[in-house]
Amino acid sequence: MHQLKRQSTGKTIALDSADRLGGGGEGHVFALGKNLAAKVYRQPSAAYTRKLGAMIANPPAGPAAIAWPVDLLVDPESRVVGFLMPRACGVRPVFHYYNPGSRILHSPGFDYRRLHRTAYHLAAAVASLHESGYVIGDLNESNILVSEAGLVTLVDADSFQVNDRETVHLCRVGKPEFTPPELQGKNFAEVERTPAQDRFGLGVLLFQILMEGTHPFAGVYQGSGDPPALEQRIALGHFPHGSGQTPYRPSPIAPPYTLLDPRLRELFERCFEAGHRDPSLRPDAQTWKLALQKAEAALIVCGHNNQHRYGAHLQACPWCERRQLLGGRDPFPLKFAAQVPLFDRLGLRLPPIPKKVLATVTAAFVGVSGLGWLGFSQLGITVDARSVPGFGTVDALAFSPDSKTLVVGQADTATQFWSAETLKRIDSTADPRRSNFFSLSASFSPDGRLLATVDGNAPASLRDAKTGVFGHRLEDHFSKDGYFPYLVTFSPNGQLLATVTYNIVSLWNVEQRKLAHLLEGPVSDILAVAFSPDGQTLVSSHYHRSNAKSLLIFWNVKTGKRLRTQDLGIESVTSLAFSADGRTLLSGGGHGSIGSWDVATGQLRRSMGQLGLKRFAFSPDGRSVAVGDSTSNRIKLWDVRSGTVTRFLLGHDRPINALSFSPDGKTLASAGEDGTVKLWPLTPLP
């Protein structure tokens, strides 16, 4: 048991060996609750103290996810022996996703589109660090963690190269297979590195992410004797996929180089060929970001397997060809049906679920009738892929205001309309401007006439809610620069529409189809927004990844002015909802508890503990919260007023991925990793 103190507050921190997450030659890493981790060095030094102090004082300016030091840890003699950092949960090393065997075992639904998204977020993290004056140095596959959504977290930040204006604290380690040619064979402890050298390692990782783990310098040796090691090939610039002559040919079992978007191939050749001659010619991370965004937008879906996505520049699906090459082993296999398990209903009458079950698919949910966006709460629906061909991963799901219709949006087919009562498909209409349209977020107008959608690679759209026919595209200067919204929700009276792009909320006049206000917050990620019931106020949740803290900003929607800011002192808030009278604001998120806040005073009225939640949803009346307990696979219904559990719902035999209340509050839908969806009829609380 380590008894240490936070330097900033003097608070005692107890680190138990049972909570050790891992370790290496430098020290050990311990879990400290759900939000923080602590690294304790074996041999602390004054140099580490100066370096960590400089990092804490100057976190990266961008919103990228990095396990950045947030406080120093001192022992009883007041020596700095380690530091605190945000804890990355629900993540795996990146090679678990780009390696096809590991990916199929752990994340069979992680498709090629999501690999592009992973590559994009990696480039974004590197860009954030470089823009803030940092150099990573040891950029490799083991210090990149990835979530199921393709979000990236960089770890081992204390090994980065840091310039504190008096001393350059060097990165003293590195892996040869990610090291640029000019540094091969050098002593890293004596070399001051540059961003151009990080760009080489970034290029290697992006190539591996998009090419099933194949190293860009791997290939079949055509010379005599033993084949040279990768570091020798890198030093000589022997990139077998480029235009230069090399004694290698690409491996016949590797994905074809032509699989990659032509814009990406051009950048790889700049990185590994032109960059071999002149490191300054290697593409920077921002250039990679833009190219990866365009490459992802150009992906199309295979007509034989909706898990196969490939570039529109190709004439045929390369994954189908690869499946034949590998003797039937499919890198992105179809998901097969699972049986609905039997379960206790605890006195609740559960309507029969037809044996139309597909592995769980996820969706982002937008609340209606003044509840606002319920953050990145995931929802699920299961449908028999055998009776509905082409139905794949769901990216958005919204109930109509009358609770009778579900709108389902995904990349595999056009946005679809389903009956929430029968789970039968009603209609499907594609975007005439986009053959591969899908919804990342969706919201019905309160009168049920309009449907607003965003797909992550285009501006927000307004559609006819009955037919889904495209009506209007809401374009602003952000979308023209290639930055697109990812959240959307109507105001309670339907006159305004809020769309979110990173740290900015755009308020649109729905009738005029014009931008009314831009609400720009601090450099951060906006994870949730909600309108007050009277429609006069909008609250946004801002998360700064470098210090893992959230704050709320309250905005006057009429003037676009900031009313006040509230520092919550907790980790990411991904869900917000007002009570019907507007006096209480509910919040929830990665910190694992539900908070009930007095809107007028900003005081916390009640916190409903550490719930062990994985997913949750608020009831439309704001009186109940449904929580998917990740420790028991049960659903708990909590009464917000009393903070007590009112009932348990048993049925899922694996973790629950998704929860959603219908707007009338009569039904709760849940989906789990067991590949089932369940509809729970609910009676109102007394």
Side-chain angles (χ1 to χ4, degrees), residues 69-105:
V70 296
D71 202 354
L72 298 178
L73 292 175
V74 298
D75 65 9
E77 286 75 39
S78 298
R79 293 184 309 155
V80 173
V81 295
F83 64 94
L84 292 179
M85 57 187 166
R87 180 183 175 187
C89 298
V91 292
R92 294 191 180 96
V94 65
F95 58 82
H96 280 230
Y97 294 96
Y98 66 59
N99 178 283
S102 176
R103 181 178 64 244
I104 291 171
L105 178 64

mmCIF file of all heavy atoms in Angstrom, residues 69-105:
data_model
loop_
_atom_site.group_PDB
_atom_site.id
_atom_site.type_symbol
_atom_site.label_atom_id
_atom_site.label_comp_id
_atom_site.label_asym_id
_atom_site.label_seq_id
_atom_site.Cartn_x
_atom_site.Cartn_y
_atom_site.Cartn_z
ATOM 1 N N PRO A 69 -0.282 14.322 -17.650
ATOM 2 C CA PRO A 69 -0.176 14.551 -16.202
ATOM 3 C C PRO A 69 -1.053 15.717 -15.752
ATOM 4 O O PRO A 69 -1.073 16.775 -16.398
ATOM 5 C CB PRO A 69 1.314 14.870 -16.013
ATOM 6 C CG PRO A 69 1.999 14.224 -17.182
ATOM 7 C CD PRO A 69 1.038 14.346 -18.318
ATOM 8 N N VAL A 70 -1.802 15.513 -14.665
ATOM 9 C CA VAL A 70 -2.666 16.570 -14.141
ATOM 10 C C VAL A 70 -2.263 16.996 -12.727
ATOM 11 O O VAL A 70 -2.706 18.039 -12.257
ATOM 12 C CB VAL A 70 -4.144 16.136 -14.152
ATOM 13 C CG1 VAL A 70 -4.626 15.920 -15.574
ATOM 14 C CG2 VAL A 70 -4.369 14.878 -13.317
ATOM 15 N N ASP A 71 -1.447 16.213 -12.051
ATOM 16 C CA ASP A 71 -0.992 16.589 -10.711
ATOM 17 C C ASP A 71 0.205 15.717 -10.347
ATOM 18 O O ASP A 71 0.346 14.586 -10.852
ATOM 19 C CB ASP A 71 -2.102 16.389 -9.681
ATOM 20 C CG ASP A 71 -1.895 17.235 -8.423
ATOM 21 O OD1 ASP A 71 -0.827 17.883 -8.309
ATOM 22 O OD2 ASP A 71 -2.793 17.256 -7.564
ATOM 23 N N LEU A 72 1.064 16.240 -9.477
ATOM 24 C CA LEU A 72 2.226 15.484 -9.011
ATOM 25 C C LEU A 72 1.882 14.742 -7.718
ATOM 26 O O LEU A 72 1.046 15.181 -6.926
ATOM 27 C CB LEU A 72 3.413 16.423 -8.767
ATOM 28 C CG LEU A 72 3.930 17.183 -9.987
ATOM 29 C CD1 LEU A 72 5.067 18.115 -9.586
ATOM 30 C CD2 LEU A 72 4.394 16.221 -11.068
ATOM 31 N N LEU A 73 2.553 13.605 -7.512
ATOM 32 C CA LEU A 73 2.415 12.831 -6.288
ATOM 33 C C LEU A 73 3.711 12.920 -5.497
ATOM 34 O O LEU A 73 4.807 12.751 -6.057
ATOM 35 C CB LEU A 73 2.107 11.365 -6.615
ATOM 36 C CG LEU A 73 0.738 11.084 -7.253
ATOM 37 C CD1 LEU A 73 0.628 9.617 -7.626
ATOM 38 C CD2 LEU A 73 -0.395 11.488 -6.318
ATOM 39 N N VAL A 74 3.588 13.173 -4.200
ATOM 40 C CA VAL A 74 4.772 13.306 -3.347
ATOM 41 C C VAL A 74 4.706 12.298 -2.211
ATOM 42 O O VAL A 74 3.620 11.907 -1.763
ATOM 43 C CB VAL A 74 4.902 14.742 -2.783
ATOM 44 C CG1 VAL A 74 5.083 15.743 -3.916
ATOM 45 C CG2 VAL A 74 3.688 15.115 -1.942
ATOM 46 N N ASP A 75 5.885 11.860 -1.750
ATOM 47 C CA ASP A 75 5.951 10.917 -0.632
ATOM 48 C C ASP A 75 6.019 11.684 0.694
ATOM 49 O O ASP A 75 5.993 12.924 0.696
ATOM 50 C CB ASP A 75 7.140 9.971 -0.816
ATOM 51 C CG ASP A 75 8.482 10.696 -0.753
ATOM 52 O OD1 ASP A 75 8.513 11.901 -0.392
ATOM 53 O OD2 ASP A 75 9.511 10.079 -1.090
ATOM 54 N N PRO A 76 6.088 10.996 1.831
ATOM 55 C CA PRO A 76 6.110 11.703 3.124
ATOM 56 C C PRO A 76 7.260 12.690 3.272
ATOM 57 O O PRO A 76 7.177 13.618 4.075
ATOM 58 C CB PRO A 76 6.216 10.553 4.136
ATOM 59 C CG PRO A 76 5.539 9.404 3.455
ATOM 60 C CD PRO A 76 5.919 9.536 2.014
ATOM 61 N N GLU A 77 8.353 12.510 2.506
ATOM 62 C CA GLU A 77 9.481 13.451 2.559
ATOM 63 C C GLU A 77 9.328 14.584 1.550
ATOM 64 O O GLU A 77 10.264 15.336 1.285
ATOM 65 C CB GLU A 77 10.800 12.721 2.295
ATOM 66 C CG GLU A 77 11.278 11.852 3.452
ATOM 67 C CD GLU A 77 10.478 10.558 3.573
ATOM 68 O OE1 GLU A 77 10.161 9.984 2.506
ATOM 69 O OE2 GLU A 77 10.154 10.167 4.705
ATOM 70 N N SER A 78 8.119 14.665 0.935
ATOM 71 C CA SER A 78 7.791 15.710 -0.048
ATOM 72 C C SER A 78 8.577 15.577 -1.347
ATOM 73 O O SER A 78 8.682 16.524 -2.118
ATOM 74 C CB SER A 78 8.012 17.113 0.549
ATOM 75 O OG SER A 78 7.153 17.308 1.651
ATOM 76 N N ARG A 79 9.126 14.384 -1.619
ATOM 77 C CA ARG A 79 9.767 14.144 -2.913
ATOM 78 C C ARG A 79 8.710 13.791 -3.945
ATOM 79 O O ARG A 79 7.779 13.040 -3.657
ATOM 80 C CB ARG A 79 10.763 12.987 -2.820
ATOM 81 C CG ARG A 79 11.988 13.215 -1.959
ATOM 82 C CD ARG A 79 12.901 11.993 -2.071
ATOM 83 N NE ARG A 79 12.156 10.759 -1.812
ATOM 84 C CZ ARG A 79 12.502 9.557 -2.272
ATOM 85 N NH1 ARG A 79 13.558 9.430 -3.049
ATOM 86 N NH2 ARG A 79 11.775 8.492 -1.966
ATOM 87 N N VAL A 80 8.854 14.318 -5.156
ATOM 88 C CA VAL A 80 7.950 13.946 -6.236
ATOM 89 C C VAL A 80 8.314 12.542 -6.704
ATOM 90 O O VAL A 80 9.449 12.284 -7.134
ATOM 91 C CB VAL A 80 8.037 14.944 -7.405
ATOM 92 C CG1 VAL A 80 7.209 14.445 -8.590
ATOM 93 C CG2 VAL A 80 7.557 16.320 -6.967
ATOM 94 N N VAL A 81 7.368 11.617 -6.608
ATOM 95 C CA VAL A 81 7.630 10.221 -6.946
ATOM 96 C C VAL A 81 6.738 9.716 -8.073
ATOM 97 O O VAL A 81 6.832 8.558 -8.476
ATOM 98 C CB VAL A 81 7.456 9.313 -5.707
ATOM 99 C CG1 VAL A 81 8.496 9.653 -4.650
ATOM 100 C CG2 VAL A 81 6.036 9.426 -5.148
ATOM 101 N N GLY A 82 5.851 10.575 -8.579
ATOM 102 C CA GLY A 82 4.963 10.135 -9.645
ATOM 103 C C GLY A 82 3.972 11.219 -9.991
ATOM 104 O O GLY A 82 4.132 12.388 -9.610
ATOM 105 N N PHE A 83 2.921 10.825 -10.693
ATOM 106 C CA PHE A 83 1.928 11.812 -11.125
ATOM 107 C C PHE A 83 0.575 11.152 -11.350
ATOM 108 O O PHE A 83 0.474 9.926 -11.482
ATOM 109 C CB PHE A 83 2.379 12.528 -12.400
ATOM 110 C CG PHE A 83 2.519 11.633 -13.604
ATOM 111 C CD1 PHE A 83 1.480 11.485 -14.507
ATOM 112 C CD2 PHE A 83 3.694 10.936 -13.846
ATOM 113 C CE1 PHE A 83 1.606 10.663 -15.619
ATOM 114 C CE2 PHE A 83 3.836 10.114 -14.953
ATOM 115 C CZ PHE A 83 2.790 9.975 -15.837
ATOM 116 N N LEU A 84 -0.460 11.983 -11.376
ATOM 117 C CA LEU A 84 -1.808 11.549 -11.712
ATOM 118 C C LEU A 84 -2.112 11.913 -13.161
ATOM 119 O O LEU A 84 -1.627 12.923 -13.673
ATOM 120 C CB LEU A 84 -2.836 12.216 -10.805
ATOM 121 C CG LEU A 84 -2.834 11.833 -9.328
ATOM 122 C CD1 LEU A 84 -3.900 12.624 -8.590
ATOM 123 C CD2 LEU A 84 -3.070 10.341 -9.152
ATOM 124 N N MET A 85 -2.956 11.101 -13.781
ATOM 125 C CA MET A 85 -3.359 11.346 -15.164
ATOM 126 C C MET A 85 -4.753 10.783 -15.364
ATOM 127 O O MET A 85 -5.215 9.949 -14.577
ATOM 128 C CB MET A 85 -2.375 10.667 -16.129
ATOM 129 C CG MET A 85 -2.245 9.157 -15.906
ATOM 130 S SD MET A 85 -0.941 8.427 -16.924
ATOM 131 C CE MET A 85 -0.768 6.806 -16.127
ATOM 132 N N PRO A 86 -5.456 11.219 -16.418
ATOM 133 C CA PRO A 86 -6.760 10.608 -16.703
ATOM 134 C C PRO A 86 -6.595 9.127 -16.999
ATOM 135 O O PRO A 86 -5.622 8.706 -17.634
ATOM 136 C CB PRO A 86 -7.239 11.365 -17.945
ATOM 137 C CG PRO A 86 -6.473 12.635 -17.936
ATOM 138 C CD PRO A 86 -5.148 12.314 -17.330
ATOM 139 N N ARG A 87 -7.564 8.347 -16.544
ATOM 140 C CA ARG A 87 -7.537 6.906 -16.797
ATOM 141 C C ARG A 87 -8.346 6.587 -18.048
ATOM 142 O O ARG A 87 -9.481 7.048 -18.191
ATOM 143 C CB ARG A 87 -8.120 6.149 -15.601
ATOM 144 C CG ARG A 87 -8.131 4.642 -15.790
ATOM 145 C CD ARG A 87 -8.794 3.944 -14.615
ATOM 146 N NE ARG A 87 -8.900 2.514 -14.845
ATOM 147 C CZ ARG A 87 -9.551 1.662 -14.057
ATOM 148 N NH1 ARG A 87 -10.149 2.135 -12.963
ATOM 149 N NH2 ARG A 87 -9.611 0.390 -14.347
ATOM 150 N N ALA A 88 -7.757 5.845 -18.941
ATOM 151 C CA ALA A 88 -8.447 5.424 -20.162
ATOM 152 C C ALA A 88 -9.167 4.106 -19.886
ATOM 153 O O ALA A 88 -8.532 3.106 -19.540
ATOM 154 C CB ALA A 88 -7.453 5.260 -21.304
ATOM 155 N N CYS A 89 -10.483 4.106 -20.028
ATOM 156 C CA CYS A 89 -11.292 2.910 -19.789
ATOM 157 C C CYS A 89 -11.978 2.481 -21.082
ATOM 158 O O CYS A 89 -12.237 3.287 -21.966
ATOM 159 C CB CYS A 89 -12.341 3.177 -18.718
ATOM 160 S SG CYS A 89 -11.662 3.613 -17.098
ATOM 161 N N GLY A 90 -12.278 1.194 -21.178
ATOM 162 C CA GLY A 90 -12.974 0.682 -22.341
ATOM 163 C C GLY A 90 -12.156 0.771 -23.611
ATOM 164 O O GLY A 90 -12.701 0.999 -24.694
ATOM 165 N N VAL A 91 -10.843 0.612 -23.485
ATOM 166 C CA VAL A 91 -9.949 0.749 -24.635
ATOM 167 C C VAL A 91 -9.022 -0.459 -24.731
ATOM 168 O O VAL A 91 -8.803 -1.178 -23.748
ATOM 169 C CB VAL A 91 -9.109 2.040 -24.539
ATOM 170 C CG1 VAL A 91 -9.978 3.271 -24.683
ATOM 171 C CG2 VAL A 91 -8.346 2.094 -23.204
ATOM 172 N N ARG A 92 -8.479 -0.664 -25.919
ATOM 173 C CA ARG A 92 -7.473 -1.691 -26.157
ATOM 174 C C ARG A 92 -6.355 -1.086 -26.989
ATOM 175 O O ARG A 92 -6.576 -0.108 -27.708
ATOM 176 C CB ARG A 92 -8.068 -2.886 -26.907
ATOM 177 C CG ARG A 92 -9.112 -3.686 -26.154
ATOM 178 C CD ARG A 92 -9.418 -4.985 -26.901
ATOM 179 N NE ARG A 92 -10.415 -5.784 -26.216
ATOM 180 C CZ ARG A 92 -11.713 -5.771 -26.504
ATOM 181 N NH1 ARG A 92 -12.152 -5.003 -27.488
ATOM 182 N NH2 ARG A 92 -12.565 -6.507 -25.843
ATOM 183 N N PRO A 93 -5.150 -1.672 -26.958
ATOM 184 C CA PRO A 93 -4.086 -1.191 -27.842
ATOM 185 C C PRO A 93 -4.524 -1.257 -29.299
ATOM 186 O O PRO A 93 -5.292 -2.138 -29.700
ATOM 187 C CB PRO A 93 -2.928 -2.155 -27.558
ATOM 188 C CG PRO A 93 -3.187 -2.662 -26.175
ATOM 189 C CD PRO A 93 -4.683 -2.744 -26.057
ATOM 190 N N VAL A 94 -4.022 -0.346 -30.098
ATOM 191 C CA VAL A 94 -4.479 -0.210 -31.477
ATOM 192 C C VAL A 94 -4.277 -1.490 -32.280
ATOM 193 O O VAL A 94 -5.066 -1.796 -33.186
ATOM 194 C CB VAL A 94 -3.789 0.993 -32.150
ATOM 195 C CG1 VAL A 94 -2.293 0.762 -32.286
ATOM 196 C CG2 VAL A 94 -4.416 1.295 -33.502
ATOM 197 N N PHE A 95 -3.234 -2.258 -31.964
ATOM 198 C CA PHE A 95 -2.985 -3.469 -32.765
ATOM 199 C C PHE A 95 -4.071 -4.514 -32.564
ATOM 200 O O PHE A 95 -4.218 -5.418 -33.389
ATOM 201 C CB PHE A 95 -1.603 -4.054 -32.465
ATOM 202 C CG PHE A 95 -1.352 -4.430 -31.036
ATOM 203 C CD1 PHE A 95 -1.788 -5.640 -30.519
ATOM 204 C CD2 PHE A 95 -0.638 -3.580 -30.211
ATOM 205 C CE1 PHE A 95 -1.554 -5.987 -29.200
ATOM 206 C CE2 PHE A 95 -0.387 -3.917 -28.885
ATOM 207 C CZ PHE A 95 -0.846 -5.120 -28.384
ATOM 208 N N HIS A 96 -4.873 -4.408 -31.499
ATOM 209 C CA HIS A 96 -6.001 -5.324 -31.328
ATOM 210 C C HIS A 96 -7.052 -5.095 -32.402
ATOM 211 O O HIS A 96 -7.868 -5.981 -32.667
ATOM 212 C CB HIS A 96 -6.643 -5.133 -29.952
ATOM 213 C CG HIS A 96 -5.899 -5.822 -28.853
ATOM 214 N ND1 HIS A 96 -6.511 -6.643 -27.936
ATOM 215 C CD2 HIS A 96 -4.589 -5.816 -28.524
ATOM 216 C CE1 HIS A 96 -5.607 -7.107 -27.079
ATOM 217 N NE2 HIS A 96 -4.439 -6.610 -27.419
ATOM 218 N N TYR A 97 -7.044 -3.906 -32.998
ATOM 219 C CA TYR A 97 -8.040 -3.574 -34.013
ATOM 220 C C TYR A 97 -7.500 -3.738 -35.426
ATOM 221 O O TYR A 97 -8.231 -4.158 -36.322
ATOM 222 C CB TYR A 97 -8.552 -2.149 -33.804
ATOM 223 C CG TYR A 97 -9.314 -1.983 -32.525
ATOM 224 C CD1 TYR A 97 -8.697 -1.495 -31.371
ATOM 225 C CD2 TYR A 97 -10.654 -2.337 -32.431
ATOM 226 C CE1 TYR A 97 -9.396 -1.356 -30.188
ATOM 227 C CE2 TYR A 97 -11.358 -2.201 -31.251
ATOM 228 C CZ TYR A 97 -10.733 -1.715 -30.134
ATOM 229 O OH TYR A 97 -11.433 -1.597 -28.967
ATOM 230 N N TYR A 98 -6.226 -3.402 -35.649
ATOM 231 C CA TYR A 98 -5.756 -3.576 -37.027
ATOM 232 C C TYR A 98 -5.281 -4.988 -37.316
ATOM 233 O O TYR A 98 -5.169 -5.380 -38.486
ATOM 234 C CB TYR A 98 -4.705 -2.527 -37.413
ATOM 235 C CG TYR A 98 -3.361 -2.542 -36.718
ATOM 236 C CD1 TYR A 98 -2.510 -3.636 -36.743
ATOM 237 C CD2 TYR A 98 -2.895 -1.384 -36.092
ATOM 238 C CE1 TYR A 98 -1.272 -3.605 -36.150
ATOM 239 C CE2 TYR A 98 -1.651 -1.342 -35.490
ATOM 240 C CZ TYR A 98 -0.843 -2.460 -35.523
ATOM 241 O OH TYR A 98 0.405 -2.420 -34.930
ATOM 242 N N ASN A 99 -5.033 -5.771 -36.295
ATOM 243 C CA ASN A 99 -4.723 -7.182 -36.508
ATOM 244 C C ASN A 99 -6.035 -7.934 -36.720
ATOM 245 O O ASN A 99 -6.903 -7.945 -35.845
ATOM 246 C CB ASN A 99 -3.989 -7.757 -35.301
ATOM 247 C CG ASN A 99 -3.680 -9.231 -35.457
ATOM 248 O OD1 ASN A 99 -4.570 -10.066 -35.293
ATOM 249 N ND2 ASN A 99 -2.443 -9.560 -35.766
ATOM 250 N N PRO A 100 -6.241 -8.555 -37.889
ATOM 251 C CA PRO A 100 -7.563 -9.140 -38.175
ATOM 252 C C PRO A 100 -7.970 -10.244 -37.218
ATOM 253 O O PRO A 100 -9.143 -10.353 -36.860
ATOM 254 C CB PRO A 100 -7.434 -9.643 -39.615
ATOM 255 C CG PRO A 100 -5.969 -9.737 -39.879
ATOM 256 C CD PRO A 100 -5.319 -8.685 -39.035
ATOM 257 N N GLY A 101 -7.019 -11.069 -36.774
ATOM 258 C CA GLY A 101 -7.376 -12.144 -35.856
ATOM 259 C C GLY A 101 -7.879 -11.622 -34.532
ATOM 260 O O GLY A 101 -8.921 -12.060 -34.019
ATOM 261 N N SER A 102 -7.146 -10.660 -33.945
ATOM 262 C CA SER A 102 -7.559 -10.078 -32.672
ATOM 263 C C SER A 102 -8.850 -9.291 -32.826
ATOM 264 O O SER A 102 -9.725 -9.335 -31.955
ATOM 265 C CB SER A 102 -6.447 -9.166 -32.142
ATOM 266 O OG SER A 102 -6.850 -8.518 -30.965
ATOM 267 N N ARG A 103 -8.991 -8.588 -33.940
ATOM 268 C CA ARG A 103 -10.190 -7.782 -34.158
ATOM 269 C C ARG A 103 -11.443 -8.653 -34.222
ATOM 270 O O ARG A 103 -12.470 -8.335 -33.621
ATOM 271 C CB ARG A 103 -10.042 -6.974 -35.451
ATOM 272 C CG ARG A 103 -11.241 -6.088 -35.738
ATOM 273 C CD ARG A 103 -11.058 -5.266 -37.005
ATOM 274 N NE ARG A 103 -10.964 -6.090 -38.203
ATOM 275 C CZ ARG A 103 -9.892 -6.169 -38.984
ATOM 276 N NH1 ARG A 103 -8.804 -5.474 -38.693
ATOM 277 N NH2 ARG A 103 -9.896 -6.932 -40.060
ATOM 278 N N ILE A 104 -11.361 -9.755 -34.951
ATOM 279 C CA ILE A 104 -12.518 -10.635 -35.088
ATOM 280 C C ILE A 104 -12.881 -11.263 -33.742
ATOM 281 O O ILE A 104 -14.048 -11.444 -33.412
ATOM 282 C CB ILE A 104 -12.241 -11.713 -36.147
ATOM 283 C CG1 ILE A 104 -12.171 -11.056 -37.537
ATOM 284 C CG2 ILE A 104 -13.314 -12.796 -36.134
ATOM 285 C CD1 ILE A 104 -11.682 -11.983 -38.620
ATOM 286 N N LEU A 105 -11.853 -11.558 -32.933
ATOM 287 C CA LEU A 105 -12.093 -12.171 -31.631
ATOM 288 C C LEU A 105 -12.754 -11.198 -30.663
ATOM 289 O O LEU A 105 -13.718 -11.545 -29.964
ATOM 290 C CB LEU A 105 -10.769 -12.678 -31.043
ATOM 291 C CG LEU A 105 -10.838 -13.302 -29.648
ATOM 292 C CD1 LEU A 105 -11.691 -14.560 -29.670
ATOM 293 C CD2 LEU A 105 -9.431 -13.615 -29.135
#
